[in-house]
Each structure stands twice: as C-alpha cells, then as structure tokens.
Amino acid sequence: MEHKNYGAPAWLTTPLLLRLTKAVCVGAIGLLAALIAFGNLTDYGSNYAFVSHVLAMDTTFPASQVHYRSIHSPWVYHTAYGVIILAEAAMAGCCLRGSWDLVRALRAGAAAFHQAKRWGVAGILLGILIWFVGFEVIGGEWFAMWQSASWNGLGAAERVLSFLMLTLILLHLPESDNQPSN
C-alpha cells in the first residue's frame, strides 16, 4: 500500500511516524526505569521501608490468616530490594538500547526494523517481571500488600504495567517496507 505524503515532512508520514513512536515509547520506558533505579539508589531508605513493610506484612489485616508468610529479616529485605534495583537498572539499559536500535533502524526494511525491537522487548519483559510478578503476584497476593492502607503499591504497578503492555502491543504491529522518500 502506498502512503501519500500530502506535503508533510518525510518524518511525519504514517509508517515512519509509527516507527518513531515505537522508539519513543521504548525510550520512555527506559527513562522511567532509569529514574526509578536512580531514585531507589539515591533515596534508598524510602523504598527500603516499603519493601520491608510489605515483606513483614505488619500493616495487613490483623486477623488475616496469611501472616505465616511474613518475613522478619533485614538481610532478606536488603537482598530483595537489591534484586529489584538491579532488575530496574537492567530494564532501563535494555529499553534505552532498544530505543537507540529502533531509531537507527527507522528507515530500514521491515525485517531489519523488526529485529531492532529485541532489546526493547527484553526490557519490557523485565518490567513485566518486576511490576507484575514482583509487585502484583508476590507483593500483592503472596504478601497480601492489597490489605495494607499505607504500603500498597498495586496502583502504581498497574499504571506501569499498562504502559508496558500497550507498548509491547504497539511494538508488534506489522512493519511496512513502504518508507517515504525524502
């Protein structure tokens, strides 16, 4: 299918603009993950308190029958938090590399542009592991974070997951070899 330019600059034509949008969304995820990891390192105590309270389950319903799952070990809290920070940093690196690869492949053929998605997809997968498996499944369900009025990160996790999943879907829209000429 041929795309008409209608006098718009080449970068504003639909196939190229859609590719640029994919690169920007992956880059935005990388920036978010980098800022989160940086914040966790430079303000370690704030989110360390979050992790320790979730694992200790000290703000969940007092009569809950799942308190046997709680952990009361600072070294486990530090280890879990360290794993989260490392995963966030790895996610940032993958997504930023993926965004860069996508920008470099903007005018490449469909197959080459599709191959350029792999780092971005890897970063998004790490994000799904962090915010769905880590926060929603383990924190939310296993450690009953949903019961806590003060240490409940499910809303924030869902916002991040929404953007991750929408970007993953966007990335997998079919590519076209019909690129506009300058």
Side-chain angles (χ1 to χ4, degrees), residues 7-97:
W11 65 269
L12 196 55
T13 58
T14 303
L16 194 57
L17 187 58
L18 187 57
R19 285 184 175 192
L20 182 61
T21 301
K22 292 174 182 184
V24 168
C25 285
V26 171
I29 291 169
L31 179 60
L32 173 69
L35 291 174
I36 291 170
F38 180 75
N40 285 339
L41 288 171
T42 58
D43 186 19
Y44 187 88
S46 292
N47 280 325
Y48 172 78
F50 174 84
V51 171
S52 64
H53 283 289
V54 169
L55 296 179
M57 299 175 70
D58 57 359
T59 61
T60 58
F61 301 159
S64 177
Q65 298 300 304
V66 295
H67 282 126
Y68 69 91
R69 300 175 185 169
S70 65
I71 297 173
H72 303 283
S73 174
W75 77 267
V76 172
Y77 305 156
H78 286 289
T79 302
Y81 191 31
V83 168
I84 292 168
I85 294 169
L86 284 174
E88 291 163 348
M91 176 188 167
C94 287
C95 285
L96 292 172
R97 164 74 189 269

Side-chain angles (χ1 to χ4, degrees), residues 19 22-23 25-26 102 113-114 117 120-121 124 165-175:
R19 285 184 175 192
K22 292 174 182 184
C25 285
V26 171
L102 289 170
F113 188 80
H114 184 74
K117 297 174 183 179
V121 171
I124 291 171
M165 296 309 293
L166 289 171
T167 300
L168 188 60
I169 292 167
L170 174 66
L171 275 178
H172 284 85
L173 292 177
E175 299 304 326

